[in-house]
Amino acid sequence: MSSDPDKLVAKADKLTKLTLTRWSADWRNATLNYEQAANAYRVAKKYEKAKDAFEKASKGQEMLTSPWDAAKHMESAAALAKELGNWNDVADLYRRASELYVECGRAQPASDALGKAARAVEDHLPDVAVQLYTDACSLLEEDDKDQMAFDLYRALTAVHIKLEKYTDAAAALLRLGLAADKCNASNSQFKAYLSAIIVYLYANDVKAAEKCYNDCSQIPAFLGSDQGRCGSRLISAYSEGNVEEIKRVAQSSTITHLDHAIIKLGRKLPTGEVTAVKAGTEEGEGLDEDDLT
Amino acid sequence: MSVIDIIFRVDEICKRYDKYDIEKQRELNAYGDDVFARLYATVEADIDAAMGKADRAAKESKRAVTAALNAENRKTKARLMDEVTKLQKLARKKVKGLSKEEQAIRADLVLALPERIQAIPDGTTTGADQGGGWGGSASHKNITFDTSEENLNDDFFQQSEESSQFRQEHERRKLKQACKDEGLDVISDGLDTLKNLAHDMGEELDRQVPLMDEIDTKVDRANSELRNTNVRLKQTITSLRSSRNFCIDIILLCVILGIASYIYKYVCVLYLNSLTYFLLPLLAVFHLLSCLANTYLFCTCCSILQG
């Protein structure tokens, strides 16, 4: 066994190539060689070659019908790709790994892989990250492991807020609330609803915030909880146009217990004109009369 | 000789020489058998004493003392009113040695007595003569608000030292209460944080519970598999141990084959028949092999039964 990784790779390639003399590829030995070569490359910090070797090793393991090892190799390859900075490669490799994990029937590592991928690319390819997070969450929800999805939803919300897509962020928070409801995690659920209301208010969409609050109030426990009371105070402060009250509510301790991104939004409230709410409702009534005539 | 002895002695001497005390004799003789006169004299003396007390009460600044003096005066007045009725009866009685005019005078004197008695001030009267002062008004019959001019000057509405002190105290207490409120606010914030932490910890633990259950089942499965493997390994090892017998068998075989070939060499030399050259050693070899096989089988059976 030569310790030179190039030679190992060459040998393994020879083992796998089908020629006249070789009717079936010897995958076991080839995979062994590929793994050794990949580790050697990683130690030598030749990331490109290591990545390739890991990919080939993974394929070998697939041929040996052990998807678990294949997935593990794929993940290593993806981590090396992250070092290299090939973000598309990273996403693809992690996706492939996640599919292999699903083949094993293990949803948790699959979603972990997607989560790692999303975290790696969220700075550079935020849309791809969004897609990855959503896929990860749906994987967990299919497998009834909603509790693990909380962190992913929160990360997804953070990405949306960074992209300033506030409706998407609020939607993600409401999905978090739904997941929390399924596992009776009432504290997280109420915090998610309050965060959604704050996001709507930050986006200056008071009507949507009110609608959101009314929807969430269908749950009686929410009305009586700290977060529910805080939300109602915010909404009433907005409808009265009372800036002082809004600021005071935003400084309260209930909001301090939410996520960092939401706290930042809350501190910046109120955005835009607050007193325009009442005028808006009057306009609405005028339009209705016009429609009736 | 003690003081008491002296006092007794003096009293005795005074009694003995009382008859030489002119004024006293005169006094006693003056009223002699006249009950009325004696009673009248005592009543007058009481009235004078009461007037003295009332004067003292008016001058007294302590309320308690004035109240006590007034109460005594009232008691005295009540008693004296009773005496007056007695006097009235006595005055109507005919006394020997008294002229009609004197009797009439006595009657007038008795009539004048009640007025004099009532005139003794004891703090309850609110006659026109008296100014309605605060002093000595301990009775609740006549509660009036004093609006006399002597008190309504500027000093009345000025803050006295006491009231300003009260105000300062009140403000100090208010400040302290504000500090306490701030402290309570801090405590409330801390409790909010604790509550949030506790909720999150509870949810995290809920999350860990199914994971722990999964770990439990997987570890149980691995445990049982390991136990099975161990047992099988033990069985294989015990069967391998009897390979010692195997080696012994093989060595014996080789030795006996060597002996056989030796004998075969000798037999070839002795016997010229080719068949016998061929068969006898073969028979010998087969015989030996079968004996060996029997011994080997016997040994393995023994080892299996043991282990």
Side-chain angles (χ1 to χ4, degrees):
Chain A
M1 289 300 168
S2 59
S3 55
D4 185 14
D6 293 323
K7 285 216 195 98
L8 281 170
V9 168
K11 218 165 80 163
D13 281 336
K14 257 198 290 184
L15 284 170
T16 55
K17 231 183 282 287
L18 294 172
T19 58
L20 282 171
T21 52
R22 198 182 284 282
W23 290 74
S24 64
D26 181 9
W27 283 109
R28 193 180 295 273
N29 284 329
T31 317
L32 268 167
N33 285 335
Y34 279 132
E35 280 170 15
Q36 279 177 346
N39 286 327
Y41 276 132
R42 192 167 37 182
V43 166
K45 295 208 198 305
K46 290 195 190 140
Y47 293 129
E48 185 71 44
K49 295 214 178 133
K51 181 169 81 81
D52 292 332
F54 267 123
E55 282 179 47
K56 290 188 192 151
S58 160
K59 187 151 174 300
Q61 292 286 8
E62 251 188 272
M63 292 296 160
L64 293 173
T65 62
S66 78
W68 178 261
D69 292 317
K72 276 244 166 321
H73 288 316
M74 267 303 171
E75 270 200 74
S76 323
L80 289 165
K82 194 169 77 160
E83 300 275 327
L84 287 171
N86 301 347
W87 307 115
N88 286 319
D89 265 351
V90 168
D92 290 332
L93 290 169
Y94 268 123
R95 256 193 213 284
R96 187 93 192 85
S98 144
E99 281 166 24
L100 287 163
Y101 279 127
V102 167
E103 244 183 76
C104 288
R106 309 277 291 272
Q108 180 70 41
S111 98
D112 279 345
L114 288 175
K116 275 188 239 176
R119 224 160 285 139
V121 303
E122 69 184 358
D123 290 327
H124 306 270
L125 298 167
D127 298 318
V128 176
V130 162
Q131 189 58 41
L132 287 165
Y133 274 128
T134 331
D135 292 339
C137 295
S138 39
L139 265 175
L140 284 173
E141 278 174 0
E142 276 168 20
D143 211 33
D144 273 345
K145 287 198 172 48
D146 293 280
Q147 290 236 319
M148 312 297 162
F150 291 170
D151 295 323
L152 290 165
Y153 277 123
R154 278 196 212 116
L156 178 61
T157 320
V159 169
H160 277 305
I161 290 176
K162 243 199 294 189
L163 294 172
E164 299 197 358
K165 293 202 184 118
Y166 297 115
T167 32
D168 290 340
L173 283 165
L174 289 171
R175 276 173 69 188
L176 211 184
L178 184 64
D181 191 34
K182 249 206 280 180
C183 18
N184 290 331
S186 49
N187 203 32
S188 295
Q189 184 186 6
F190 300 155
K191 285 205 279 200
Y193 288 150
L194 184 60
S195 313
I197 294 173
I198 290 177
V199 165
Y200 275 130
L201 287 173
Y202 186 78
N204 228 5
D205 194 357
V206 185
K207 285 220 180 350
E210 275 183 33
K211 196 165 99 49
C212 181
Y213 178 72
N214 289 332
D215 288 338
C216 303
S217 308
Q218 302 297 323
I219 303 164
F222 179 68
L223 273 177
S225 72
D226 274 342
Q227 287 89 3
R229 277 193 288 264
C230 191
S232 78
R233 273 164 68 192
L234 263 179
I235 300 274
S236 57
Y238 255 93
S239 57
E240 286 169 14
N242 189 353
V243 183
E244 291 302 314
E245 179 69 21
I246 294 171
K247 285 211 170 54
R248 203 160 356 122
V249 173
Q251 302 298 326
S252 75
S253 64
T254 321
I255 299 213
T256 321
H257 297 317
L258 303 172
D259 261 347
H260 287 298
I262 311 289
I263 297 175
K264 271 187 264 187
L265 293 184
R267 299 258 191 267
K268 290 194 201 139
L269 282 177
T271 53
E273 264 308 307
V274 174
T275 51
V277 177
K278 286 201 185 132
T281 50
E282 283 175 16
E283 275 179 31
E285 284 174 21
L287 279 170
D288 278 341
E289 282 177 12
D290 286 341
D291 284 336
L292 282 171
T293 51
Chain B
M1 203 188 278
S2 67
V3 176
I4 292 191
D5 289 336
I6 295 176
I7 290 174
F8 277 136
R9 281 200 179 193
V10 165
D11 277 338
E12 281 295 305
I13 295 169
C14 282
K15 264 191 229 162
R16 201 167 301 183
Y17 291 109
D18 253 342
K19 55 184 177 220
Y20 300 113
D21 192 351
I22 303 168
E23 281 194 21
K24 211 169 184 187
Q25 292 296 353
R26 213 191 297 159
E27 205 179 295
L28 278 171
N29 287 336
Y31 297 120
D33 304 315
D34 200 347
V35 183
F36 173 83
R38 237 186 289 140
L39 204 54
Y40 188 75
T42 45
V43 166
E44 275 210 341
D46 283 332
I47 289 175
D48 287 331
M51 290 299 279
K53 276 195 215 153
D55 286 333
R56 262 197 12 234
K59 289 196 200 110
E60 188 67 56
S61 62
K62 286 196 198 147
R63 290 259 192 95
V65 177
T66 48
L69 288 168
N70 288 330
E72 275 177 46
N73 276 353
R74 265 178 262 137
K75 242 194 317 180
T76 322
K77 265 160 77 171
R79 191 166 45 83
L80 286 173
M81 293 307 285
D82 291 332
E83 303 276 315
V84 158
T85 49
K86 268 197 251 169
L87 270 170
Q88 280 173 345
K89 272 195 235 154
L90 278 170
R92 276 187 234 114
K93 240 190 337 187
K94 262 228 172 152
V95 183
K96 62 175 180 202
L98 243 103
S99 62
K100 273 196 187 156
E101 288 146 352
E102 277 195 32
Q103 219 153 356
I105 292 168
R106 276 191 189 175
D108 286 331
L109 282 170
V110 170
L111 277 171
L113 267 179
E115 279 179 38
R116 278 173 68 190
I117 292 170
Q118 290 298 333
I120 300 172
D122 62 355
T124 57
T125 48
T126 53
D129 299 337
Q130 288 185 354
W134 285 111
S137 166
S139 139
H140 297 296
K141 271 192 278 178
N142 304 304
I143 296 174
T144 53
F145 279 117
D146 175 22
T147 50
S148 56
E149 298 81 30
E150 61 195 73
N151 286 333
L152 282 176
N153 46 17
D154 284 322
D155 285 338
F156 191 68
F157 293 118
Q158 238 358 309
Q159 270 187 18
S160 75
E161 200 184 294
E162 272 189 10
S163 73
S164 63
Q165 270 183 8
F166 275 137
R167 185 164 302 177
Q168 282 173 11
E169 183 83 22
H170 175 67
E171 276 170 15
R172 227 181 298 145
R173 291 248 177 95
K174 251 205 292 191
L175 272 173
K176 267 196 225 161
Q177 196 60 37
C179 290
K180 278 190 206 154
D181 283 342
E182 278 175 22
L184 284 171
D185 277 337
V186 169
I187 290 176
S188 133
D189 277 341
L191 280 173
D192 259 336
T193 315
L194 274 175
K195 174 180 158 192
N196 188 51
L197 279 172
H199 267 299
D200 285 342
M201 275 165 66
E203 282 181 10
E204 192 62 37
L205 284 170
D206 285 336
R207 204 203 290 202
Q208 309 270 347
V209 164
L211 293 175
M212 296 297 285
D213 289 336
E214 259 189 62
I215 291 177
D216 205 21
T217 40
K218 285 191 188 166
V219 166
D220 279 339
R221 214 185 311 146
N223 204 13
S224 58
E225 273 179 28
L226 206 63
R227 245 186 258 143
N228 277 344
T229 319
N230 274 344
V231 166
R232 273 190 291 150
L233 203 62
K234 197 172 171 190
Q235 282 177 354
T236 6
I237 284 174
T238 48
S239 66
L240 273 175
R241 200 154 38 88
S242 54
S243 71
R244 235 192 297 154
N245 300 337
F246 246 128
C247 299
I248 293 168
D249 294 335
I250 289 164
I251 292 165
L252 276 172
L253 197 71
C254 299
V255 163
I256 282 155
L257 275 173
I259 294 171
S261 61
Y262 202 59
I263 293 168
Y264 172 65
K265 259 199 265 177
Y266 271 115
V267 168
C268 282
V269 166
L270 286 174
Y271 293 100
L272 294 164
N273 198 348
S274 60
L275 267 172
T276 50
Y277 296 162
F278 212 71
L279 278 169
L280 257 174
L282 266 171
L283 276 169
V285 165
F286 275 129
H287 184 70
L288 282 161
L289 277 172
S290 63
C291 288
L292 279 168
N294 281 334
T295 51
Y296 170 63
L297 279 168
F298 180 65
C299 289
T300 48
C301 288
C302 286
S303 62
I304 285 169
L305 282 169
Q306 276 173 11

